[in-house]
Structures are given as C-alpha cells and as structure tokens.
Amino acid sequence: MPAFRAHTHHHHHHAGAAAAKNATHQVYAPGFTHVVNLEARDIVQMPPAGMNVTRLVLCANYDAARPDTSCAMGSRCKFVHADTRRAQKHAIHVNYAWRKVEAVTYERMAGGQTLEVAPPNSKVATDVMDSSMVLKTKALQSKRRPLSHCAHFYFNRACNLGAECQFVHAVFIDPAARAFQLAPAPIQLGRVDHRDAVKRMEARR
C-alpha cells in the first residue's frame, strides 16, 4: 500500500483554540484516488496515536448517518472517521509503476513532443521523453523552463495537486510491476533518454 504522507494546513490568522477549530486536514480517500480537505469540526475520530499511522485515509465503512454502527472497528479503527458532506475533494496523481503505458489510468499528454526535463530544484535538463510518457498537468502552460519534475511526485511518489500541478509527472514503466506498486525512488545517473525505452518496448511487439 502506498506509504506517502498526508498534510495538515492551518490558517495562521487565528490563534490558540480558534486556530485548531479552523485547521484543515488533507485526508486520502480509500483507494488513494482523491484528497479530501476536511475541517476539524467534521472529523469525528482520528487513528489512535499508538498505531503510528503515516498517512491519513478515510474509513471506507464509516457513514456519518450511522456513526455508531457503520464501522465495526469503532475507536480501534486506523482510518479517519469524518462527515465528508461539506468537504472539498480533488483527484491526485500517485506515481505508480505501470506494466505498460496502455495500463496508465490517468489522462496523459498527447504524444509527439520531445520534452527535456530537469530534476526538482534544478535548471539543467537531464531527462528526455516523449510527451505521451507524461501525465496531463499544467506543466506546458507554465512559464518555467526548462520543464521540471514535480518534487512531490518524484520523491514522495504522490502529488496532491494532480492535474493542476505545474510540474512534470513522468510515467514509470516496469513490465514486472505488481498492482499498485509505487515507482522506485529516483536515482540521477546523468542524462536519460526515455524515448529509447519506448522504442525498445515497441520493437518487442
């Protein structure tokens, strides 16, 4: 199961107890398809501290209309119990290892463009790839050049901004990948031309 972390945002213009009430928690939906922004007042129960939970995920069984009976684990549940009716949510991108490009479930950019992409926080492009090997984001619409890999997608293997991100979310292919396996941690070994890998895959067909 993915091991990336959720984030908590606070509105700092409030102080003390008022700030706590206005805290917004970013919690993953079951299946890691979306991030749900929850206000503190809508959270009924967080995972017990002793469980050392590294990511906050909504309980798939909890129903705010039946709070006492919907989740059999009750107070021992390692997932978040919350009323999501007022919550805002948006789709995210998880950096999975895909067996083939056709298996990618996220929308990808149209092919035909050669993209030179720099590592996060670098101005030197080291990767070359066809645009079809990149998930659809707002990277090409941004003014940043060279294009840059998204640090969250690249290192944490998940970007909570999804298609709204202004950086590159490159597709990682591993024919031996398991279902929902995350892409490996990146290692920069000089200039990498991902088009060669695509050509090799096409040659095997």
Side-chain angles (χ1 to χ4, degrees), residues 31-33 91-109 132 134-136 171-173 179-180:
F32 299 95
T33 55
I92 68 172
H93 284 166
V94 178
N95 190 0
Y96 290 120
W98 305 93
R99 289 190 176 183
K100 54 184 179 179
V101 70
E102 293 83 4
V104 177
T105 56
Y106 301 118
E107 185 176 3
R108 292 179 289 122
M109 291 185 182
S132 65
V134 176
L135 302 184
K136 191 171 184 179
V171 173
F172 181 84
I173 302 296
F180 302 111

Coordinates of all heavy atoms in Angstrom, one line a residue, residues 31-33 91-109 132 134-136 171-173 179-180:
G31 N -8.5 4.0 -1.5 CA -8.0 3.7 -2.9 C -7.1 4.8 -3.4 O -6.5 4.7 -4.5
F32 N -6.8 5.9 -2.6 CA -5.9 6.9 -3.0 C -6.2 7.6 -4.3 O -5.3 7.8 -5.1 CB -4.5 6.4 -2.9 CG -4.0 5.9 -1.6 CD1 -4.2 4.6 -1.3 CD2 -3.6 6.8 -0.6 CE1 -3.8 4.1 0.0 CE2 -3.2 6.4 0.6 CZ -3.3 5.0 1.0
T33 N -7.5 7.8 -4.6 CA -7.9 8.4 -5.8 C -8.0 9.9 -5.7 O -7.9 10.7 -6.6 CB -9.3 7.9 -6.3 OG1 -10.2 8.0 -5.2 CG2 -9.2 6.4 -6.6
A91 N -8.9 15.1 -7.4 CA -8.1 13.9 -7.8 C -6.6 14.2 -7.7 O -6.2 15.3 -7.8 CB -8.5 13.6 -9.3
I92 N -5.9 13.2 -7.3 CA -4.5 13.3 -7.1 C -3.8 12.4 -8.2 O -4.4 11.6 -8.8 CB -4.0 12.9 -5.7 CG1 -4.3 11.4 -5.5 CG2 -4.7 13.7 -4.7 CD1 -3.7 10.9 -4.1
H93 N -2.5 12.5 -8.3 CA -1.6 11.6 -9.1 C -0.7 10.8 -8.2 O 0.1 11.4 -7.4 CB -0.8 12.4 -10.1 CG -1.6 12.9 -11.3 ND1 -1.1 13.8 -12.1 CD2 -2.8 12.6 -11.7 CE1 -1.9 14.1 -13.1 NE2 -3.0 13.3 -12.9
V94 N -0.8 9.5 -8.2 CA 0.2 8.7 -7.5 C 1.2 8.1 -8.5 O 0.8 7.7 -9.6 CB -0.6 7.5 -6.8 CG1 0.4 6.6 -6.1 CG2 -1.6 8.1 -5.8
N95 N 2.4 8.1 -8.2 CA 3.5 7.7 -9.1 C 3.6 6.2 -9.0 O 4.5 5.7 -8.3 CB 4.8 8.4 -8.7 CG 5.9 8.2 -9.8 OD1 5.7 7.5 -10.8 ND2 7.1 8.7 -9.5
Y96 N 2.7 5.5 -9.6 CA 2.8 4.0 -9.7 C 3.8 3.5 -10.7 O 4.1 4.2 -11.7 CB 1.4 3.5 -10.0 CG 0.3 3.6 -8.9 CD1 -0.8 4.4 -9.2 CD2 0.5 3.1 -7.7 CE1 -1.8 4.5 -8.2 CE2 -0.5 3.2 -6.7 CZ -1.6 3.9 -7.0 OH -2.6 4.1 -6.0
A97 N 4.2 2.3 -10.6 CA 4.9 1.6 -11.6 C 3.9 0.9 -12.5 O 3.2 0.0 -12.0 CB 5.9 0.6 -11.0
W98 N 3.8 1.2 -13.8 CA 2.9 0.6 -14.7 C 3.5 -0.5 -15.5 O 4.6 -0.3 -15.9 CB 2.2 1.7 -15.5 CG 1.6 2.8 -14.8 CD1 2.3 4.0 -14.5 CD2 0.3 2.9 -14.2 NE1 1.4 4.8 -13.8 CE2 0.2 4.2 -13.6 CE3 -0.8 2.0 -14.2 CZ2 -0.9 4.6 -13.0 CZ3 -1.9 2.5 -13.6 CH2 -2.0 3.7 -13.0
R99 N 2.8 -1.6 -15.8 CA 3.4 -2.6 -16.6 C 3.5 -2.2 -18.1 O 4.5 -2.7 -18.7 CB 2.4 -3.9 -16.5 CG 2.5 -4.6 -15.2 CD 1.8 -5.9 -15.2 NE 1.9 -6.6 -14.0 CZ 1.4 -7.8 -13.8 NH1 0.8 -8.5 -14.7 NH2 1.6 -8.4 -12.6
K100 N 2.7 -1.4 -18.6 CA 2.8 -0.8 -19.9 C 2.0 0.5 -20.0 O 1.2 0.8 -19.1 CB 2.2 -1.8 -20.9 CG 0.8 -2.2 -20.7 CD 0.3 -3.3 -21.7 CE -1.1 -3.7 -21.4 NZ -1.6 -4.7 -22.4
V101 N 2.4 1.3 -20.9 CA 1.8 2.6 -21.0 C 0.3 2.6 -21.2 O -0.4 3.5 -20.7 CB 2.5 3.5 -22.1 CG1 2.2 3.0 -23.5 CG2 2.2 5.0 -21.9
E102 N -0.2 1.6 -21.8 CA -1.6 1.5 -22.1 C -2.4 1.2 -20.8 O -3.6 1.4 -20.7 CB -1.9 0.4 -23.1 CG -1.5 0.6 -24.5 CD 0.0 0.3 -24.7 OE1 0.6 -0.2 -23.8 OE2 0.5 0.6 -25.8
A103 N -1.7 0.8 -19.7 CA -2.3 0.4 -18.4 C -2.5 1.7 -17.6 O -3.2 1.6 -16.5 CB -1.5 -0.6 -17.7
V104 N -1.9 2.8 -17.9 CA -2.0 4.0 -17.1 C -3.4 4.5 -17.1 O -4.0 4.7 -18.1 CB -1.0 5.1 -17.7 CG1 -1.2 6.4 -16.9 CG2 0.4 4.6 -17.7
T105 N -3.9 4.7 -15.9 CA -5.3 5.0 -15.7 C -5.5 6.6 -15.7 O -6.7 7.0 -15.9 CB -5.9 4.5 -14.4 OG1 -5.1 4.9 -13.3 CG2 -6.0 2.9 -14.5
Y106 N -4.5 7.3 -15.5 CA -4.6 8.8 -15.5 C -4.5 9.3 -17.0 O -3.9 8.6 -17.8 CB -3.4 9.4 -14.7 CG -3.4 9.0 -13.3 CD1 -2.3 8.4 -12.8 CD2 -4.4 9.3 -12.4 CE1 -2.2 8.0 -11.4 CE2 -4.3 9.0 -11.1 CZ -3.2 8.3 -10.6 OH -3.1 8.0 -9.3
E107 N -5.1 10.4 -17.2 CA -5.0 11.0 -18.5 C -3.6 11.5 -18.8 O -2.9 12.1 -17.9 CB -5.9 12.2 -18.6 CG -6.0 12.8 -20.0 CD -7.0 14.0 -20.2 OE1 -7.6 14.3 -19.2 OE2 -7.2 14.5 -21.3
R108 N -3.1 11.1 -20.0 CA -1.7 11.5 -20.4 C -1.7 12.6 -21.4 O -2.7 12.9 -22.1 CB -0.9 10.3 -20.9 CG -0.7 9.2 -19.9 CD 0.1 8.0 -20.5 NE -0.8 7.3 -21.4 CZ -0.6 7.0 -22.7 NH1 0.5 7.5 -23.3 NH2 -1.4 6.3 -23.4
M109 N -0.6 13.3 -21.6 CA -0.4 14.3 -22.6 C -0.4 13.7 -24.0 O -0.1 12.5 -24.1 CB 0.9 15.1 -22.4 CG 0.9 16.0 -21.2 SD 2.4 17.0 -21.2 CE 2.2 17.8 -19.6
S132 N 3.9 11.7 -24.5 CA 3.0 10.7 -24.2 C 3.3 9.9 -23.0 O 2.5 9.2 -22.4 CB 2.9 9.7 -25.4 OG 4.1 9.0 -25.6
V134 N 4.0 11.4 -20.2 CA 3.8 12.3 -19.1 C 2.3 12.4 -18.8 O 1.5 12.5 -19.7 CB 4.4 13.7 -19.4 CG1 4.1 14.7 -18.3 CG2 5.9 13.6 -19.7
L135 N 2.0 12.4 -17.5 CA 0.6 12.6 -17.1 C 0.2 14.0 -17.4 O 1.0 15.0 -17.4 CB 0.4 12.3 -15.6 CG 0.8 10.9 -15.2 CD1 0.4 10.7 -13.7 CD2 0.1 9.8 -16.0
K136 N -1.1 14.2 -17.7 CA -1.6 15.6 -18.1 C -1.6 16.5 -16.8 O -2.3 16.2 -15.9 CB -3.0 15.5 -18.7 CG -3.4 16.8 -19.3 CD -4.7 16.6 -20.1 CE -5.1 17.9 -20.8 NZ -6.3 17.7 -21.6
V171 N 5.7 9.2 -16.4 CA 5.2 7.8 -16.3 C 6.4 6.8 -16.1 O 7.3 6.9 -16.9 CB 4.3 7.4 -17.5 CG1 4.0 5.9 -17.4 CG2 3.1 8.2 -17.6
F172 N 6.3 5.9 -15.2 CA 7.4 4.9 -15.0 C 6.8 3.6 -15.4 O 5.8 3.1 -14.9 CB 7.8 4.9 -13.5 CG 8.9 3.9 -13.2 CD1 10.2 4.2 -13.5 CD2 8.6 2.6 -12.8 CE1 11.3 3.3 -13.3 CE2 9.6 1.7 -12.6 CZ 11.0 2.0 -12.9
I173 N 7.6 2.9 -16.3 CA 7.1 1.6 -16.8 C 8.0 0.5 -16.3 O 9.2 0.6 -16.3 CB 7.2 1.6 -18.3 CG1 6.3 2.7 -18.9 CG2 6.7 0.2 -18.9 CD1 4.8 2.5 -18.6
A179 N 0.4 -4.9 -8.9 CA -0.7 -3.9 -8.9 C -0.5 -2.9 -7.7 O -0.1 -3.3 -6.6 CB -2.1 -4.6 -8.7
F180 N -0.6 -1.6 -8.0 CA -0.5 -0.5 -7.1 C 0.9 -0.4 -6.5 O 1.1 0.1 -5.4 CB -1.5 -0.6 -6.0 CG -2.9 -0.6 -6.5 CD1 -3.7 -1.7 -6.4 CD2 -3.5 0.5 -7.1 CE1 -5.0 -1.7 -6.8 CE2 -4.8 0.5 -7.6 CZ -5.5 -0.6 -7.4

